[in-house]
Amino acid sequence: MRRIFLVALVLLAFAGFAMAQITQPTTDVLGAHLNYGRGCTACHSPHSGTSGNGQASSVSSGNKILWGEDVSPLYGKTITTDGGKYVEVLPTSMSADTPDVSGMLTCLGCHDGNMAPAAMMKNRVYENLPATYGNRNSIPTLMTGSGAGNYMSEHPMGLNATVDCGGTSGWDCTEMNGVITMSGSASRRFVTSYGFFVQPGVYNNKAVVVCTTCHEPHAMNVVTVGRNSNSGLPAGTYATMFFLRAPYNPNDTNPMSNQTAQFCRQCHADKSNEMNGSTAGTVF
């Protein structure tokens, strides 16, 4: 009888995981970055980057991810985030060998608080939002703050926004040359329960937060967990939103779901179950 009970518990657990998985997305995974049908060429030019897009050679992106948009107006721009606590000075060229080139500068080519007509942005959210959000689908998709170019209220990012192990808010992890390993007892439990999907940039041998730390611009609504993923979740495809790199689904019908909180806890360890003595795992 006890064996039957244990088998039933295991089946229920995997059933819960199965509900969190989506086996086949019904929309193109590129989502909003299809840019009204332009697709990949909205951002990339397959021949010589900006030069191939007819831009002047002075603003050429060269071979840097064959970036096809002119981001030269952003060169050297100073950004302050989190109420001015963090200062980021954007690179002065696409050839700068820093993670804020492809991790921030390229993103801000469209998401800089101004319309980007070349990318056909419509200033509307493309996500299938929960019904409880009402009709608020005309919210800005641009990185604005209180106005164009105002980043004060944004999440810390840039070469000074480091991700640290230890201290009052960090995981019991280790960092070597900017690479974080979730090696402590609490951080290992978190990875088993959820995972460590974020991809910090590396600058001066320190892990730093850039746009692509949290966002994967090529997949809006799905995250694939495979054998090589830094996650203990069963392999499969999981729902996400807003191009986030990990399972994140506020539209989950389970009122006890904590997966959206788990995403933030990848860096904010002091808000996690594990670092507060709780044995609760990820609930889908």
Side-chain angles (χ1 to χ4, degrees):
M1 188 67 180
R2 183 181 179 184
R3 176 178 295 179
I4 295 175
F5 178 70
L6 289 174
V7 170
L9 284 178
V10 170
L11 290 175
L12 283 173
F14 276 96
F17 279 125
M19 288 189 294
Q21 291 178 266
I22 51 175
T23 57
Q24 185 177 8
T26 57
T27 58
D28 193 289
V29 297
L30 197 57
H33 285 171
L34 278 171
N35 283 286
Y36 290 86
R38 292 192 71 208
C40 303
T41 55
C43 295
H44 305 279
S45 179
H47 303 290
S48 304
T50 47
S51 295
N53 246 7
Q55 303 286 344
S57 59
S58 60
V59 298
S60 175
S61 63
N63 293 322
K64 192 70 174 181
I65 61 175
L66 291 174
W67 195 250
E69 300 296 334
D70 177 12
V71 295
S72 60
L74 293 167
Y75 288 166
K77 182 181 179 70
T78 298
I79 296 173
T80 56
T81 58
D82 193 20
K85 296 178 182 178
Y86 297 88
V87 178
E88 156 72 8
V89 179
L90 290 173
T92 56
S93 76
M94 284 289 291
S95 60
D97 190 23
T98 51
D100 51 356
V101 175
S102 57
M104 286 188 68
L105 183 62
T106 53
C107 305
L108 291 172
C110 290
H111 296 274
D112 64 343
N114 299 289
M115 278 294 191
M120 295 188 181
M121 294 194 71
K122 299 292 185 180
N123 202 29
R124 295 176 68 88
V125 66
Y126 297 75
E127 305 281 0
N128 294 317
L129 296 176
T132 52
Y133 281 41
N135 296 319
R136 300 177 183 179
N137 65 332
S138 295
I139 62 175
T141 60
L142 310 172
M143 184 180 172
T144 60
S146 59
N150 186 332
Y151 304 92
M152 297 292 285
S153 62
E154 306 294 345
H155 188 285
M157 64 182 72
L159 303 184
N160 293 312
T162 59
V163 182
D164 300 307
C165 294
T168 58
S169 61
W171 281 107
D172 53 346
C173 53
T174 57
E175 181 182 10
M176 180 173 292
N177 297 326
V179 178
I180 291 177
T181 303
M182 302 286 271
S183 55
S185 59
S187 56
R188 284 199 306 268
R189 290 200 308 273
F190 179 80
V191 169
T192 299
S193 172
Y194 182 71
F196 193 71
F197 298 89
V198 291
Q199 294 187 12
V202 178
Y203 180 68
N204 284 343
N205 294 324
K206 289 291 296 181
V208 297
V209 178
V210 291
C211 303
T212 52
T213 296
C214 293
H215 300 280
E216 163 50 71
H218 305 102
M220 183 180 79
N221 54 14
V222 64
V223 171
T224 300
V225 176
R227 293 180 179 178
N228 296 324
S229 299
N230 192 12
S231 170
L233 295 176
T237 51
Y238 291 77
T240 191
M241 296 181 77
F242 312 121
F243 294 94
L244 293 178
R245 290 186 174 275
Y248 182 96
N249 185 14
N251 203 23
D252 194 321
T253 57
N254 185 349
M256 300 303 294
S257 176
N258 65 348
Q259 58 179 297
T260 56
Q262 294 289 71
F263 181 88
C264 302
R265 291 165 175 166
Q266 291 175 94
C267 294
H268 298 277
D270 56 320
K271 309 299 190 299
S272 70
N273 293 315
E274 291 78 6
M275 295 295 283
N276 282 283
S278 172
T279 58
T282 303
V283 179
F284 287 100

